[in-house]
Amino acid sequence: MNDVLLIAVFALVGAAGAGLAGAVVLRLVRHRSVAVSLAVVAAVTVTAMLAGTLAVAQAMFLSAHDLWVVTVVVAMAALVSMATALVLGRWVVARSRALTRAARDFGEGGGFCAPAGTATAELAALTRELASTSARLDASRRRERALEASRRELVAWISHDLRTPLAGLRAMAEALEDGMAADPGRYHRQIRTEVDRLTGMVTDLFELSRIHAGALTLSPIRMSVYDLVGDALSGADPLAREHGVRLVGEDVAAVPVEVDGKEMTRVLANLLVNAIRHTPADGTVAVAAERREGAVVVSVTDGCGGIPAEDLPRVFDTGWRGAEARTPPAGAGLGLAIVRGIVEAHAGSAEVRNVPGGCRFEVSLPTAAG
């Protein structure tokens, strides 16, 4: 037993010396190719075995012939280990370089295409992560392009909508200043109307900027959808009477929700105003609310005749106003964008779809806990 322990100690000392030398070499080549590191690891393994063997041989006074035999055996093992390490290293390096080329193309704005062939578990995991990141960035680029197009469209619409009332205000102000207005009172009323219109546009722009900047602060309280819809219908009733449109809100369930009453009233008001303006005289705008799969769905159905299928995905985009027939006499196409922003701030969603004779806007909100 003492002889075995002594052999183990001599073998450990010899192998430890080789291992320490190998660790120093690995630190020096840590910035080199992985193939070099694998070759060093293989060399350290064989050298540790040889050093331990030589230490034991010297301690046990083996014959020169036996020592030579052991050395030859270790040398053959070293050759096989080095060859295997080099082949494995070249394969890993080739896969790494292929992945680097694919990542370079991905970084230049293209899509990530995973290199063909098998790979180690780590490289395969890295490939999957790069593919996932590429998909997210591609979606982000599409959203950015859509947002940029929406911004350009908004600027164009705002420029157009501001130019007309400002030109009118200037003309009326000059007429009043020169004493050329036959009915000053009518001019004053028209100026007040145009100023209210511009004020509404500026208010919508400010609200939308708060939504996009994430600065919309909500103060949710527990309230009934029935009361929320009732208040919105009362506020929209004068406009509906002016346009000869009937408002129907009988199918509204008294479901509790936790929302910011002021902001959600604005949401319903925007939807109702939009529906009334696009519904012909003697038409009907119906409001309904129901519980559906853990959410409260409030819908506003109008008689606009429907929205073209290609325009449906853009209805809630900033500045979208669709075809000329659906363009309102006032506003800058911000109402529905504000609707979506406020609803999403409440962890809800806003959708639209065509129904016979018109379209239906649906707002889904989480039901109140308890």
Side-chain angles (χ1 to χ4, degrees), residues 243-293:
H243 285 74
V245 174
R246 293 185 298 275
L247 288 180
V248 178
E250 299 175 355
D251 191 14
V252 178
V255 183
V257 290
E258 289 188 6
V259 296
D260 187 309
K262 177 182 177 182
E263 297 295 342
M264 286 308 303
T265 297
R266 178 165 191 167
V267 166
L268 294 179
N270 284 358
L271 291 177
L272 286 171
V273 169
N274 182 72
I276 292 169
R277 285 175 172 167
H278 298 144
T279 299
D282 294 330
T284 301
V285 171
V287 182
E290 60 178 335
R291 189 192 297 268
R292 188 187 304 170
E293 297 180 359

Side-chain angles (χ1 to χ4, degrees), residues 271 274-275 278 292 297-302 304-317 320 326 336 339-340 349-355 358-364:
L271 291 177
N274 182 72
H278 298 144
R292 188 187 304 170
V297 179
V298 181
S299 63
V300 176
T301 306
D302 60 32
C304 67
I307 301 173
E310 62 272 14
D311 287 341
L312 281 175
R314 299 194 57 210
V315 167
F316 293 100
D317 288 353
W320 183 86
R326 287 186 54 86
L336 294 180
V339 165
R340 180 175 63 179
S349 62
E351 300 176 351
V352 61
R353 70 174 185 270
N354 285 325
V355 295
C359 60
R360 177 175 297 159
F361 288 84
E362 291 187 348
V363 170
S364 299

Side-chain angles (χ1 to χ4, degrees), residues 207 210 217-221 223 228 259-269 342 346:
E207 182 75 5
R210 287 201 306 156
T217 303
L218 301 178
S219 301
I221 59 173
M223 60 189 308
L228 192 65
V259 296
D260 187 309
K262 177 182 177 182
E263 297 295 342
M264 286 308 303
T265 297
R266 178 165 191 167
V267 166
L268 294 179
I342 295 176
H346 283 84

Side-chain angles (χ1 to χ4, degrees), residues 7 25 41 103 122 205 276 295 318:
I7 290 172
V25 175
V41 170
E122 292 79 8
L205 282 171
I276 292 169
T318 302

Side-chain angles (χ1 to χ4, degrees), residues 22-264:
V24 172
V25 175
L26 280 176
R27 181 173 179 79
L28 293 176
V29 300
R30 64 185 183 277
H31 299 301
R32 303 291 297 277
S33 170
V34 68
V36 176
S37 298
L38 287 174
V40 172
V41 170
V44 168
T45 303
V46 176
T47 304
M49 183 176 64
L50 179 59
T53 302
L54 291 176
V56 172
Q58 292 294 332
M60 297 180 67
F61 303 104
L62 293 180
S63 66
H65 178 269
D66 292 341
L67 184 59
W68 173 251
V69 171
V70 172
T71 304
V72 171
V73 171
V74 172
M76 294 302 102
L79 288 176
V80 174
S81 299
M82 293 292 292
T84 303
L86 289 174
V87 171
L88 177 61
R90 287 176 62 87
W91 178 73
V92 173
V93 168
R95 289 293 303 170
S96 298
R97 288 175 177 171
L99 189 58
T100 299
R101 289 192 296 270
R104 185 182 300 117
D105 295 339
F106 156 53
E108 292 174 354
F112 177 76
C113 182
T118 57
T120 62
E122 292 79 8
L123 290 179
L126 179 58
T127 300
R128 290 192 296 271
E129 286 298 322
L130 286 174
S132 176
T133 302
S134 175
R136 291 194 297 269
L137 286 179
D138 185 59
S140 177
R141 283 193 293 266
R142 288 198 300 269
R143 288 194 300 269
E144 185 177 354
R145 288 193 293 267
L147 184 59
E148 183 61 28
S150 177
R151 287 196 187 102
R152 289 195 298 267
E153 189 175 44
L154 174 62
V155 170
W157 280 114
I158 290 293
S159 301
H160 175 271
D161 287 349
L162 287 177
R163 186 182 300 114
T164 301
L166 288 175
L169 288 171
R170 181 183 181 86
M172 286 184 287
E174 290 177 349
L176 289 171
E177 184 179 19
D178 297 338
M180 302 296 294
D183 186 357
R186 183 175 67 85
Y187 275 64
H188 288 146
R189 289 190 297 273
Q190 185 63 29
I191 289 175
R192 176 66 180 270
T193 299
E194 294 297 335
V195 169
D196 289 342
R197 177 184 176 187
L198 292 175
T199 301
M201 292 173 61
V202 172
T203 302
D204 285 347
L205 282 171
F206 177 71
E207 182 75 5
L208 193 63
S209 67
R210 287 201 306 156
I211 293 172
H212 285 171
L216 181 63
T217 303
L218 301 178
S219 301
I221 59 173
R222 187 182 180 92
M223 60 189 308
S224 171
V225 174
Y226 185 85
D227 296 333
L228 192 65
V229 172
D231 292 342
L233 288 173
S234 298
D237 185 65
L239 181 65
R241 292 178 181 274
E242 180 183 343
H243 285 74
V245 174
R246 293 185 298 275
L247 288 180
V248 178
E250 299 175 355
D251 191 14
V252 178
V255 183
V257 290
E258 289 188 6
V259 296
D260 187 309
K262 177 182 177 182
E263 297 295 342
M264 286 308 303

